[in-house]
Amino acid sequence: MKYTWISALAMVLAVPTMGFSQQTDSSRLQKNGVPVAGDTMTIHYNPAGGPLAGKDHIRGMVYTFNNYRWGLDDVNLQLHNGVYDAKYFVPANCAFLAFKFYVEQDGQIAASDNNNDRGFVETTVNKEGMALPGGALAWGVFRKPSFGSAPQGYFDKFEIGDEAIEMWIRKEMRNYPQYMPRYFGDYLTMLKKSLGDEYNEKVERNLVRLAGLPNIDESNYYQIFSVYQFELKDTHKADSVKALILSKYPHGHLARHEAYTAAYMGQHNEASIEKMEKFLQDFPVVEMRKDSSADQQFMYYGIYRELAIAYVASGKIDKLIALLPQMDFASLAEIYRWDVERHFMTNSMPVDSVYPLGKAVITEAIAKVHDGSFKENLRFTPQQADEFAISQLDKRLAAHVRLLDKMGRYAEALTYLRMISPEFIYTNAKLNDAHIDILEHTNNAVQAAAVLEQGVRNNAATPAMIEKLKKEYVAKNGKTDGFDAYMESLKPAADIEKFRAEIKAALINEKYTPFKLKDLAGKVVNSAEFKDKIVVLDFWATWCTPCKSAFPGMQMLVDKYAKDKNVAVYFIATQAASKNYKEEIRNYISKSGYRFNVLLDEVTAKGAQDQVFRSMAPVFKSSAIPRKVVIKNGVIRWTAEGYGGSASKLVDELSYVIELLKNEN
């Protein structure tokens, strides 16, 4: 008789008859009884008394465990008299549900309710009232995040003990031993925790038993290989199992991964191109997508990205365009960003050369924006994935519109402008600038004026837009007096209040190491002499595109405070990428025309040109630039990383910090 995981008597005694839910005193979530797989359940969520009380636009999500695979779905809530109602269809084989309610800000979850960290979690039953396969397993592993088997991020601190997880896994084994191959990995993890040092001695017999079962698949063979290779360090047996897998599944997951590893080398020579092309031929992406258990889309994303770089560098644009129909939206968005937008932004390719590829990629991306390609690895719910894809398409459309504007293809640009979502259309300063130019060149002066005003209203204006608005103001009023107040009046009071509150909350008091740096003329600037002066430091590098993108706004700030003896702005060139960095910096500043006080960061003992930046980095715990730092009286008072794309917003941000510090007692 073949080995079985449990005795026949235990199988008879362990008849699953009901579901179970997290015991709680919370009344925020009400349901119509135990969820039934294959049926619609009704829920009522009342945020009162919880972390979402008083919040607007509350959304819902639910983690599911269906046929021993985790899923993530949306719960579409409708607000009625302060209570959010929803009907949710429970998938036919779904054994477990975990609801979570949340609100978003800027596309990120800002606050959520998971039942006071105990979970809105529940197992389901079938239409005969019996528990489903996977219910006990999911109930255990989901509530022990450190076990590493279930989606992460649901709980903050809650976790059941090791004894509890073992109990639930063994309960699954008693109820559904026939499905052991599907949760064998969880069983091994449990054994490792319970056996400790005895694990290595006893695990092999379990591998042998698994290999003897009639219904195992490639994932089970890979589990056997993985234990031999990485845990038992038995390379001989590991290689034997690996050879068996490759022989048995010549186009399976492991074979695909092996081919990917050999092809994806981060190089762009002819030999690498041939390997990547062969990978796509031998392992067509369409076949991978048919396999719901593959989870290997990342391989194709990487191959497409590297091939695109190689094709563009070698002038094989036609080969790249021919490859586009294979790609999903996530890959297309990255190809446009790196192989079109980057070259357009850095002027590293003529726009006439960039345009054919840009048009082909953006056309394909528009058609595939709703393909769900950002759902991989439960990163998003379907609705979140769709919204994120739309936000990415908006950014690519904005870049494409700017490309067309630069080429003088104004009528064509209007077509793409109309595709940009209403939520995004006026929020990008450079897009607003291009939008105005396109409208003016297509005899839409009235609309151009409206876009100009809306851009300022959203604090997404370039220096050119502000100058244009100023001219219109002077033409209408005969003077410049009152223009700043007029600009401020265009912005919603609530937005200004929120903006300033966020800046005020970000003020800090962190000491920094005094420094002495030379400017481009060799003059030494000593930070000890700043005293109570408010000093803005902008850490940048010539290779840093976002750094340079922020410079028009920084020039506006320099001009604004040029006559203020209590304010100084220094641009510290750091993290040089070449030995000739001093000459490169001088040339860039000279050609760009910026009127900046540039300082040169010192070189460390290890040869890195980032001594002052590195000395301050522990305060903001990042090595990224651009980095703005505002100091006063020997103390860092405020700091921010990156550039949001709006010159006007950057000026407002730093100006408000300066004024806050000026008004301190």
Side-chain angles (χ1 to χ4, degrees):
M1 180 177 178
K2 285 190 175 180
Y3 173 86
T4 56
W5 294 98
I6 60 173
S7 69
L9 175 61
M11 291 180 64
V12 172
L13 293 176
V15 180
T17 59
M18 60 180 296
F20 31 93
S21 62
Q22 182 72 48
Q23 294 298 312
T24 173
D25 58 3
S26 172
S27 60
R28 292 195 295 276
L29 182 62
Q30 301 293 325
K31 308 178 295 298
N32 60 333
V34 177
V36 178
D39 206 348
T40 299
M41 66 181 296
T42 301
I43 67 171
H44 309 282
Y45 173 69
N46 187 344
L52 301 184
K55 304 287 187 182
D56 296 323
H57 309 298
I58 295 175
R59 306 177 72 172
M61 65 170 65
V62 58
Y63 289 96
T64 62
F65 197 57
N66 194 3
N67 281 330
Y68 291 93
R69 286 184 62 82
W70 289 103
L72 180 60
D73 206 354
D74 296 287
V75 179
N76 297 312
L77 303 173
Q78 298 293 325
L79 180 61
H80 299 102
N81 299 319
V83 176
Y84 289 85
D85 303 324
K87 291 185 179 298
Y88 179 72
F89 179 77
V90 182
N93 296 301
C94 179
F96 173 87
L97 301 168
F99 291 95
K100 186 174 184 177
F101 304 93
Y102 65 98
V103 293
E104 290 186 332
Q105 182 176 343
D106 300 325
Q108 304 292 324
I109 293 180
S112 62
D113 187 356
N114 66 349
N115 190 24
N116 305 325
D117 206 33
R118 285 174 290 186
F120 294 116
V121 293
E122 192 161 7
T123 58
T124 69
V125 296
N126 61 21
K127 293 184 179 180
E128 288 73 41
M130 307 289 287
L132 279 82
L137 178 69
W139 182 256
V141 299
F142 189 83
R143 297 182 308 127
K144 189 172 180 62
S146 66
F147 197 73
S149 178
Q152 301 292 300
Y154 181 88
F155 293 109
D156 295 321
K157 297 180 180 179
F158 176 85
E159 177 151 315
I160 62 175
D162 290 345
E163 297 82 1
I165 189 69
E166 181 171 354
M167 178 189 73
W168 290 112
I169 291 176
R170 292 197 180 280
K171 182 177 178 67
E172 185 71 29
M173 293 169 63
R174 289 195 302 271
N175 291 347
Y176 299 104
Q178 68 271 36
Y179 297 124
M180 167 59 85
R182 299 190 186 182
Y183 55 90
F184 183 74
D186 295 323
Y187 171 68
L188 287 187
T189 304
M190 179 203 75
L191 284 183
K192 185 179 291 187
K193 286 181 175 292
S194 62
L195 295 177
D197 293 339
E198 297 179 25
Y199 172 77
N200 282 7
E201 178 186 339
K202 297 182 178 181
V203 68
E204 188 167 12
R205 72 183 68 170
N206 288 281
L207 301 181
V208 173
R209 291 167 185 164
L210 176 65
L213 295 178
N215 58 340
I216 65 172
D217 59 17
E218 182 184 358
S219 66
N220 297 128
Y221 283 114
Y222 186 81
Q223 288 171 329
I224 297 171
F225 158 76
S226 183
V227 172
Y228 278 128
Q229 179 74 25
F230 303 111
E231 295 183 12
L232 301 181
K233 310 296 183 183
D234 189 331
T235 56
H236 176 71
K237 290 182 180 178
D239 289 344
S240 296
V241 177
K242 183 177 180 180
L244 174 65
I245 296 172
L246 294 175
S247 173
K248 195 175 182 69
Y249 306 96
H251 292 91
H253 300 179
L254 180 60
R256 185 183 291 115
H257 188 272
E258 291 284 298
Y260 166 75
T261 302
Y264 187 77
M265 304 174 66
Q267 299 176 1
H268 307 121
N269 53 41
E270 286 299 323
S272 295
I273 291 174
E274 288 181 10
K275 287 182 180 180
M276 289 188 284
E277 290 175 337
K278 189 173 189 307
F279 171 82
L280 295 177
Q281 292 170 1
D282 293 346
F283 297 91
V285 67
V286 65
E287 295 301 320
M288 186 278 298
R289 289 172 182 155
K290 292 177 183 178
D291 183 357
S292 61
S293 67
D295 292 334
Q296 293 180 317
Q297 181 58 43
F298 73 92
M299 298 180 185
Y300 295 87
Y301 179 93
I303 292 291
Y304 291 143
R305 188 181 189 277
E306 295 305 312
L307 265 180
I309 294 171
Y311 284 154
V312 171
S314 58
K316 299 176 181 178
I317 302 298
D318 290 345
K319 294 195 75 171
L320 176 53
I321 291 175
L323 200 60
L324 299 181
Q326 293 186 24
M327 300 183 193
D328 61 10
F329 176 81
S331 300
L332 291 163
E334 173 61 12
I335 298 302
Y336 192 97
R337 184 191 72 84
W338 191 253
D339 297 290
V340 179
E341 185 176 359
R342 178 174 64 97
H343 290 300
F344 163 57
M345 292 281 292
T346 60
N347 296 313
S348 53
M349 282 179 63
V351 290
D352 289 339
S353 299
V354 174
Y355 170 72
L357 177 60
K359 183 176 181 179
V361 177
I362 205 73
T363 300
E364 199 78 28
I366 291 167
K368 294 178 178 176
V369 67
H370 300 296
D371 68 1
S373 51
F374 286 114
K375 290 191 298 183
E376 191 177 27
N377 298 322
L378 306 186
R379 181 182 177 188
F380 297 116
T381 70
Q383 189 172 334
Q384 289 172 337
D386 204 52
E387 291 167 354
F388 184 75
I390 290 171
S391 73
Q392 294 302 301
L393 180 61
D394 281 338
K395 293 176 182 178
R396 305 302 175 261
L397 286 169
H400 200 62
V401 165
R402 291 174 54 213
L403 170 64
L404 295 172
D405 177 49
K406 187 172 183 178
M407 297 180 71
R409 292 176 172 266
Y410 305 116
E412 186 177 350
L414 276 176
T415 301
Y416 293 102
L417 272 168
R418 297 187 184 106
M419 297 180 187
I420 298 174
S421 66
E423 294 79 12
F424 183 83
I425 187 67
Y426 301 116
T427 62
N428 182 290
K430 290 184 177 180
L431 174 61
N432 288 335
D433 208 9
H435 194 168
I436 292 166
D437 189 54
I438 291 162
L439 290 172
E440 289 177 343
H441 279 90
T442 52
N443 300 316
N444 289 294
V446 175
Q447 292 182 42
V451 172
L452 175 60
E453 188 170 299
Q454 190 63 47
V456 174
R457 191 184 307 279
N458 286 335
N459 213 353
T462 63
M465 288 172 63
I466 294 172
E467 188 62 30
K468 187 185 291 288
L469 187 67
K470 191 172 186 178
K471 287 182 180 179
E472 292 181 3
Y473 178 86
V474 171
K476 186 176 181 179
N477 297 279
K479 57 181 180 179
T480 59
D481 292 348
F483 174 70
D484 290 342
Y486 166 66
M487 270 192 63
E488 200 72 3
S489 71
L490 293 176
K491 303 166 189 174
D495 291 353
I496 295 174
E497 183 178 352
K498 179 182 176 184
F499 177 66
R500 290 179 174 176
E502 291 172 351
I503 294 173
K504 196 170 185 178
L507 290 176
I508 58 176
N509 279 282
E510 298 284 348
K511 290 186 177 181
Y512 66 90
T513 303
F515 59 84
K516 295 179 182 179
L517 294 177
K518 292 181 180 180
D519 64 15
L520 292 177
K523 180 182 177 182
V524 175
V525 174
N526 187 349
S527 68
E529 298 175 358
F530 293 160
K531 298 181 180 179
D532 62 349
K533 182 179 288 188
I534 299 166
V535 179
V536 179
L537 305 178
D538 187 354
F539 289 95
W540 69 287
T542 53
W543 52 261
C544 173
T545 300
C547 298
K548 295 183 288 186
S549 296
F551 280 174
M554 291 303 295
Q555 184 65 68
M556 291 168 62
L557 184 81
V558 169
D559 294 344
K560 181 175 181 177
Y561 289 98
K563 298 180 180 180
D564 192 329
K565 295 182 180 180
N566 295 313
V567 178
V569 184
Y570 291 101
F571 296 78
I572 301 181
T574 189
Q575 299 180 12
S578 73
K579 294 181 179 180
N580 299 322
Y581 68 91
K582 293 181 181 180
E583 182 179 350
E584 291 174 358
I585 292 166
R586 287 192 184 93
N587 289 340
Y588 174 76
I589 294 297
S590 175
K591 291 179 181 179
S592 66
Y594 291 121
R595 301 177 301 281
F596 291 166
N597 290 322
V598 177
L599 304 180
L600 302 173
D601 206 345
E602 287 289 352
V603 177
T604 68
K606 294 183 178 181
Q609 191 251 338
D610 64 353
Q611 181 172 294
V612 174
F613 180 82
R614 185 182 293 267
S615 72
M616 294 185 180
V619 174
F620 35 82
K621 297 178 177 61
S622 174
S623 61
I625 54 175
R627 165 66 62 176
K628 308 294 187 289
V629 176
V630 182
I631 60 180
K632 180 183 178 183
N633 293 325
V635 175
I636 297 175
R637 298 304 315 279
W638 183 88
T639 181
E641 179 182 303
Y643 175 55
S646 170
S648 62
K649 188 173 183 179
L650 176 61
V651 175
D652 282 359
E653 190 173 45
L654 288 166
S655 297
Y656 188 59
V657 173
I658 291 169
E659 298 308 317
L660 279 174
L661 298 182
K662 276 186 176 182
N663 294 326
E664 284 185 336
N665 295 328

